[in-house]
Amino acid sequence: MKESGFKVTPWEVSGNIDYNKLIKEFGVSRIDGNLLERIRKHTKELHPMLSRGLFFAHRDLDWILNEYEKGNKFFLYTGRAPSGPIHIGHIFVWIFTKWLQERFDVELWFQFPDEEKFLFKNLSYEEVQKYLGDNMLDVIALGFDPNKTHFIIDTRHASLMYPEAVKVAKKLTASSVKASFGLNDSSNVGQYFYTCMQAVPAFLPSVIKKKNIPCLIPHAIDQDPHFRLTRDILPKLGHYKPASIQCSFIPPLTGISGKMDSSKENAIFLTDSPSEVKNKINKYAFSGGQSTIEEHRKKGGNPDIDVSYQYLRMFFEPDDKKLQKIYDDYKSGKMLTSELKNILIEKINAFLKEHQKKREKAAKAIDKFIFKYKA
Amino acid sequence: MKESGFKVTPWEVSGNIDYNKLIKEFGVSRIDGNLLERIRKHTKELHPMLSRGLFFAHRDLDWILNEYEKGNKFFLYTGRAPSGPIHIGHIFVWIFTKWLQERFDVELWFQFPDEEKFLFKNLSYEEVQKYLGDNMLDVIALGFDPNKTHFIIDTRHASLMYPEAVKVAKKLTASSVKASFGLNDSSNVGQYFYTCMQAVPAFLPSVIKKKNIPCLIPHAIDQDPHFRLTRDILPKLGHYKPASIQCSFIPPLTGISGKMDSSKENAIFLTDSPSEVKNKINKYAFSGGQSTIEEHRKKGGNPDIDVSYQYLRMFFEPDDKKLQKIYDDYKSGKMLTSELKNILIEKINAFLKEHQKKREKAAKAIDKFIFKYKA
């Protein structure tokens, strides 16, 4: 969609996103106070990403809770299309997914569609395979429970997935795919078929366990077009429509609009060193502060457009009181931009230190995560 | 293509086919006397399907022989898209393929694209799977060497095939597929992708063995559009263009034009009983005879349009002298249509008796034929 200067598709997010308009346009529902309270009943407390509105929209989340309350547990489905190193913009959904998995005690199916970026970008098959191995390490290092987490890799699990994908494909015309994803006659035929593979994990556990299991997909809202098609088709194949819980975008370092991408100045990668993090944030993180210290002390900063503050709000400062104090101090001018940045640098580096330690041990665990089946 | 009242596409063959025009239009080469002599050098004798011109066209067969003579053996690739029971129209290519395999001592990769007819026809996934099991029995019963014959089944071998198919897909635009196969925007996206899966066996052995191996595809000429695309793309992926040896169509029982299809009155199925064969041929086989015995004795019959004679020529009477005598006797009026039909009935029933005996034991052998690989 392109409207009022912003654009949200599975392949492009740009401009200053009006989330109210996006909710209307996409036809999703806002997560309201009632729904938050229903979630809290099961999770005891709310994850900050929920209470602070980073996860703000959904499809059929109320139905997921109805079924859960009847004893019909859902499974979670999320994924990662390997195309480069993982940055902190990628992991917000996964961290939240992990929290859902733990609080609801459910299985997670984690898809690595290792053909997607090969088909859609100027990346070789080998490059994508390299990133696949690399990306799996980061996902494992986040601490998912290997007993309840199953990695499925499109090319390696194709014997399981392709037979289901063709069932989706038979229900999906070229014109639907063109309309949903902006493909045209010059697009390659793998791009036409790809969304069928992305649909499969939403019902694969039901196929494997031979019973209908509700599926909840946590994802950034730009992926909604994929799952809209999936939701149209799955009931025709006798499966439930997958539900979703959708988050807004993690802004790039350089500004509050769009979403974090993998360009060097816009992203903090999970393998960045403490000094790289420090330099990037000091150099690039868009600031809501004033141009001189004197002016800042007098007029105060604007945390609402300050990327460092937003990262703290979105994930790195889970304590609401501390966050509020940072907000107030920055807004009043008591806290300088350099001080705000230092708080974030410290938080990110503490997180990355722990992550990188776990990442080093992750290679040994890969085999436990990859879903096993008989060919 | 549609011209002069005939039509040849991978999904439709109809009308009175002008093979000279087809050769020109498709851009294939006729198998001439020189090429036949080169083949004979290796095979000692020529299979009647070659000497009698049933296999009449090719692409790069001379190159295949060049490579073979240099010690670079080719492999054979043929297949069957399960969609119903096997009839005698299907097996001509396979019988010839078996002869090539034996005479050249080469491997055969036999593809069962069990998604094709599901995607292109009004057949359920389960129906196709039933026919898959059924069709494999007939292929095995033809007597292929299990040590040199590998069955690959698209859905079951997808972990091996899909990663290669996406490499083909990236080189193939929707508009190419539309032009080659007459797809449009209402076609399902599985149909767009399918030809990529059909391309894979033409280079899969090269991928598995990590060296380029020439591929020869025996097939009926209507499948040429699939392999034309394959030939365009494979060199871009570093593989040889597959060569082909192409046959004309086995006419339906009811007339000399078009090709045998699976309608009851047009086909002799491999599971038909002797009395079914007798009844079908007596009732439906299009005759070149005259309307009364008297007239036939006087004017003689026309073997060139007589389906029974054509089946004898194409396969069931391998002895050239005997065939010539039948031709002469029928043409002169010495042989009646009923006598000609009786010869064919006896030949087919002898063939089917043997086939059905082998077919009963085939189920035990399936496992030996299915290609094994590590998932």
Side-chain angles (χ1 to χ4, degrees):
Chain A
M1 76 177 303
K2 188 167 186 113
E3 202 169 297
S4 331
F6 70 90
K7 186 172 178 183
V8 176
T9 76
W11 296 286
E12 192 188 341
V13 173
S14 61
N16 217 329
I17 295 129
D18 180 335
Y19 286 106
N20 285 323
K21 269 196 182 154
L22 203 57
I23 281 180
K24 249 193 195 157
E25 197 66 35
F26 275 16
V28 298
S29 308
R30 189 173 275 284
I31 298 176
D32 61 15
N34 286 335
L35 200 50
L36 286 178
E37 284 317 302
R38 277 193 77 184
I39 295 170
R40 195 202 298 272
K41 248 178 45 193
H42 300 290
T43 60
K44 308 302 172 220
E45 55 192 359
L46 287 180
H47 194 281
M49 291 186 197
L50 265 176
S51 56
R52 295 177 189 168
L54 185 68
F55 278 84
F56 70 107
H58 75 98
R59 289 182 186 270
D60 287 344
L61 185 54
D62 36 0
W63 166 75
I64 283 284
L65 293 172
N66 291 345
E67 291 296 312
Y68 187 80
E69 287 163 9
K70 283 191 267 175
N72 190 15
K73 270 192 184 181
F74 58 93
F75 68 91
L76 292 158
Y77 159 29
T78 189
R80 158 72 180 161
S83 59
I86 301 293
H87 56 63
I88 60 167
H90 294 126
I91 64 171
F92 284 68
V93 170
W94 306 336
I95 286 168
F96 183 67
T97 301
K98 179 168 174 270
W99 179 82
L100 288 173
Q101 177 180 38
E102 288 167 356
R103 296 296 165 116
F104 286 96
D105 186 29
V106 292
E107 293 206 347
L108 164 63
W109 291 74
F110 201 112
Q111 180 186 28
F112 291 92
D114 56 338
E115 81 283 48
E116 180 179 4
K117 302 300 180 182
F118 169 71
L119 290 168
F120 283 91
K121 291 194 165 197
N122 188 19
L123 275 172
S124 75
Y125 194 82
E126 292 65 31
E127 284 171 302
V128 172
Q129 290 301 312
K130 191 190 85 54
Y131 288 128
L132 166 66
D134 189 76
N135 292 177
M136 285 195 292
L137 298 181
D138 282 310
V139 173
I140 291 169
L142 291 177
F144 292 101
D145 179 350
N147 298 313
K148 286 189 286 184
T149 305
H150 311 291
F151 286 2
I152 41 174
I153 301 159
D154 284 16
T155 62
R156 295 191 208 165
H157 290 89
S159 294
L160 203 55
M161 298 178 69
Y162 181 71
E164 302 306 323
V166 297
K167 294 173 193 168
V168 175
K170 192 170 180 176
K171 304 284 185 196
L172 188 60
T173 63
S175 57
S176 297
V177 171
K178 282 180 165 181
S180 293
F181 302 117
L183 299 183
N184 57 47
D185 283 357
S186 308
S187 307
N188 74 56
V189 295
Q191 295 177 337
Y192 277 78
F193 186 70
Y194 169 70
T195 194
C196 304
M197 291 293 278
Q198 183 152 341
V200 170
F203 64 96
L204 188 64
S206 299
V207 171
I208 291 169
K209 294 181 184 167
K210 296 188 170 72
K211 61 168 186 169
N212 249 343
I213 312 173
C215 170
L216 176 63
I217 311 176
H219 64 80
I221 193 165
D222 55 337
Q223 297 300 309
D224 189 70
H226 274 300
F227 300 117
R228 231 178 289 155
L229 286 183
T230 304
R231 284 170 55 86
D232 281 350
I233 292 169
L234 264 50
K236 297 177 191 167
L237 300 175
H239 304 296
Y240 290 134
K241 283 186 184 191
S244 60
I245 182 163
Q246 308 185 339
C247 66
S248 53
F249 307 110
I250 314 307
L253 272 180
T254 49
I256 205 71
S257 64
K259 74 169 182 177
M260 187 180 282
D261 63 27
S262 293
S263 58
K264 213 180 159 193
E265 69 275 20
N266 274 336
I268 308 284
F269 295 102
L270 297 195
T271 48
D272 279 352
S273 70
S275 64
E276 283 174 308
V277 170
K278 189 179 170 188
N279 291 339
K280 279 186 189 178
I281 288 176
N282 282 331
K283 189 165 173 191
Y284 299 115
F286 184 81
S287 165
Q290 306 298 341
S291 39
T292 64
I293 294 189
E294 293 65 36
E295 207 187 331
H296 189 84
R297 292 283 187 216
K298 211 169 109 187
K299 296 188 184 165
N302 182 356
D304 296 325
I305 61 162
D306 186 284
V307 168
S308 300
Y309 175 79
Q310 291 304 321
Y311 289 180
L312 289 170
R313 180 183 75 82
M314 285 172 168
F315 174 62
F316 288 103
E317 181 46 80
D319 186 316
D320 285 340
K321 279 185 196 152
K322 286 185 186 167
L323 186 72
Q324 186 63 48
K325 189 166 165 22
I326 293 168
Y327 186 92
D328 295 341
D329 287 354
Y330 192 63
K331 192 148 188 150
S332 71
K334 188 173 162 193
M335 181 181 281
L336 297 175
T337 295
S338 59
E339 291 167 325
L340 175 58
K341 286 191 172 187
N342 280 339
I343 294 172
L344 180 67
I345 290 165
E346 207 168 288
K347 290 277 183 183
I348 291 182
N349 279 337
F351 174 83
L352 290 187
K353 189 179 169 189
E354 194 62 27
H355 182 83
Q356 289 166 6
K357 220 163 62 187
K358 289 185 199 148
R359 195 179 190 280
E360 271 174 35
K361 296 177 194 151
K364 276 182 289 184
I366 285 184
D367 194 56
K368 277 192 284 182
F369 281 92
I370 292 179
F371 181 66
K372 304 293 181 308
Y373 71 105
K374 282 183 195 167
Chain B
M1 75 177 301
K2 188 168 187 112
E3 203 170 296
S4 330
F6 69 89
K7 187 172 179 182
V8 176
T9 76
W11 296 285
E12 192 189 340
V13 173
S14 60
N16 217 328
I17 295 129
D18 180 335
Y19 286 106
N20 285 324
K21 270 196 182 155
L22 202 56
I23 279 179
K24 250 194 195 155
E25 196 66 35
F26 275 16
V28 297
S29 307
R30 188 173 277 282
I31 298 176
D32 61 15
N34 286 336
L35 199 50
L36 286 179
E37 284 318 302
R38 277 194 78 185
I39 295 170
R40 196 203 299 272
K41 249 179 41 194
H42 300 289
T43 60
K44 308 302 171 220
E45 55 193 359
L46 287 179
H47 194 280
M49 291 186 198
L50 265 178
S51 56
R52 295 176 188 169
L54 186 69
F55 277 84
F56 71 107
H58 75 98
R59 288 182 186 273
D60 287 344
L61 184 54
D62 35 1
W63 167 76
I64 283 283
L65 293 172
N66 292 345
E67 290 297 312
Y68 187 81
E69 287 161 10
K70 284 191 265 173
N72 190 16
K73 270 191 184 182
F74 58 93
F75 68 91
L76 292 158
Y77 158 29
T78 189
R80 158 71 181 162
S83 59
I86 302 293
H87 57 62
I88 60 168
H90 294 126
I91 64 171
F92 284 68
V93 170
W94 305 337
I95 286 167
F96 182 68
T97 301
K98 181 170 173 265
W99 179 82
L100 287 173
Q101 177 180 38
E102 288 166 355
R103 297 296 165 114
F104 286 96
D105 186 29
V106 292
E107 292 208 346
L108 164 63
W109 291 74
F110 200 112
Q111 179 186 29
F112 291 91
D114 55 338
E115 82 283 48
E116 180 180 4
K117 302 300 179 181
F118 169 71
L119 289 168
F120 283 91
K121 291 193 164 199
N122 188 19
L123 275 172
S124 76
Y125 194 83
E126 291 67 30
E127 284 171 301
V128 172
Q129 290 302 311
K130 191 190 86 53
Y131 288 128
L132 166 65
D134 190 77
N135 292 178
M136 286 195 290
L137 298 182
D138 282 311
V139 173
I140 291 170
L142 291 177
F144 292 101
D145 179 350
N147 297 314
K148 286 189 285 182
T149 306
H150 312 291
F151 287 2
I152 42 173
I153 301 160
D154 284 16
T155 63
R156 296 191 208 165
H157 290 86
S159 294
L160 203 56
M161 297 178 70
Y162 181 72
E164 303 305 323
V166 297
K167 294 174 193 167
V168 176
K170 191 170 180 175
K171 304 283 185 197
L172 188 60
T173 62
S175 57
S176 298
V177 170
K178 281 181 166 180
S180 293
F181 302 118
L183 300 184
N184 57 47
D185 283 356
S186 307
S187 306
N188 75 56
V189 294
Q191 295 176 339
Y192 277 78
F193 186 70
Y194 169 69
T195 195
C196 304
M197 291 293 278
Q198 183 151 340
V200 170
F203 63 96
L204 188 64
S206 299
V207 171
I208 291 169
K209 293 180 185 168
K210 295 189 172 70
K211 61 168 185 170
N212 249 344
I213 312 172
C215 169
L216 176 62
I217 311 175
H219 64 78
I221 194 166
D222 56 337
Q223 297 300 308
D224 188 69
H226 274 301
F227 300 117
R228 232 179 288 155
L229 286 184
T230 304
R231 284 169 56 86
D232 281 351
I233 292 168
L234 263 52
K236 297 177 192 168
L237 299 175
H239 304 296
Y240 290 135
K241 283 186 184 193
S244 60
I245 181 163
Q246 308 185 338
C247 67
S248 53
F249 306 111
I250 313 309
L253 271 180
T254 49
I256 206 71
S257 66
K259 75 169 182 176
M260 187 180 284
D261 62 27
S262 294
S263 57
K264 214 180 160 190
E265 69 276 19
N266 274 336
I268 307 284
F269 295 103
L270 297 194
T271 48
D272 279 351
S273 68
S275 63
E276 282 174 310
V277 170
K278 189 178 172 190
N279 291 338
K280 279 186 188 177
I281 289 175
N282 281 331
K283 189 163 173 192
Y284 299 115
F286 184 80
S287 165
Q290 306 298 339
S291 39
T292 64
I293 293 188
E294 292 66 34
E295 208 186 332
H296 189 84
R297 292 285 188 217
K298 211 169 111 189
K299 297 187 185 167
N302 181 357
D304 296 324
I305 61 161
D306 186 285
V307 168
S308 300
Y309 175 78
Q310 291 303 321
Y311 288 0
L312 289 170
R313 179 182 76 83
M314 286 171 167
F315 175 61
F316 288 103
E317 181 46 80
D319 185 319
D320 285 340
K321 279 184 195 155
K322 285 184 187 167
L323 186 72
Q324 187 63 49
K325 190 166 162 26
I326 293 168
Y327 186 92
D328 294 341
D329 288 354
Y330 191 62
K331 189 145 190 154
S332 71
K334 190 173 161 191
M335 181 181 281
L336 298 175
T337 294
S338 59
E339 290 167 328
L340 175 59
K341 285 192 171 186
N342 279 339
I343 293 172
L344 180 67
I345 290 164
E346 206 170 287
K347 289 278 185 185
I348 291 183
N349 278 337
F351 174 82
L352 290 187
K353 188 179 169 188
E354 194 62 26
H355 182 83
Q356 289 165 6
K357 221 162 65 188
K358 288 185 198 149
R359 197 180 190 279
E360 271 173 34
K361 295 177 194 152
K364 276 181 288 185
I366 284 183
D367 194 55
K368 277 191 284 182
F369 281 91
I370 292 178
F371 181 66
K372 303 294 180 307
Y373 71 106
K374 280 184 195 167

